[in-house]
Amino acid sequence: LILLIRVTLMLLIRISLKLLIRISLILLMRLTLTLLIRVSLTLLIRASLTLLIRISLTLLIRISLTLLIRVSLILLIRVTLTLLIRVSLTLLIRASLTLLIRISLTLLIRISLTLLIRVSLILLIRVTLMLLIRISLKLLIRISL
């Protein structure tokens, strides 16, 4: 009986040890699987966050570059328009000044010509009057002699 009890106890201990080892192995596998799943999830979350940050940064860079290009184009158009307006205004002022100089020169030439004609007419009248006076004086002297 003692031997039977010992043998059964030994068998029970072996079976319980085997079961304990199996259970502990299963628990260890479960724990390692959950740990692996957690670690992989955290790594996946970190990787997805870095990818999301990279994608959002590239999108932000692209959007900011397009906005910068649009703003620079608008500024370039404004600057060219203001330069064109300034250049056209200076050309308009120069053209108007040359036209004003031309008009004033033609007016001066006309006025001087009319004055010259008047002066020459006055001089002609004077000369003719002087000649007439001389001729009449000469005639008067001849007649009186």
Side-chain angles (χ1 to χ4, degrees), residues 9-59:
L9 274 175
M10 288 295 284
L11 282 172
L12 274 173
I13 290 171
R14 280 188 181 169
I15 291 171
S16 65
L17 276 174
K18 284 184 182 178
L19 282 173
L20 190 70
I21 289 172
R22 282 188 183 163
I23 290 172
S24 64
L25 277 174
I26 290 170
L27 280 173
L28 187 69
M29 286 175 71
R30 280 189 183 169
L31 279 173
T32 55
L33 278 174
T34 53
L35 280 173
L36 274 172
I37 290 170
R38 282 185 183 171
V39 169
S40 63
L41 276 175
T42 53
L43 286 175
L44 188 73
I45 289 170
R46 284 183 185 168
S48 63
L49 278 174
T50 54
L51 276 173
L52 187 70
I53 289 170
R54 282 185 185 171
I55 290 171
S56 61
L57 277 175
T58 53
L59 282 173

Side-chain angles (χ1 to χ4, degrees), residues 55-79:
I55 290 171
S56 61
L57 277 175
T58 53
L59 282 173
L60 273 172
I61 289 171
R62 284 184 183 171
I63 290 170
S64 62
L65 277 175
T66 52
L67 285 175
L68 189 72
I69 290 170
R70 285 183 184 169
V71 168
S72 63
L73 278 173
I74 290 170
L75 280 173
L76 186 70
I77 290 170
R78 282 186 181 170
V79 168

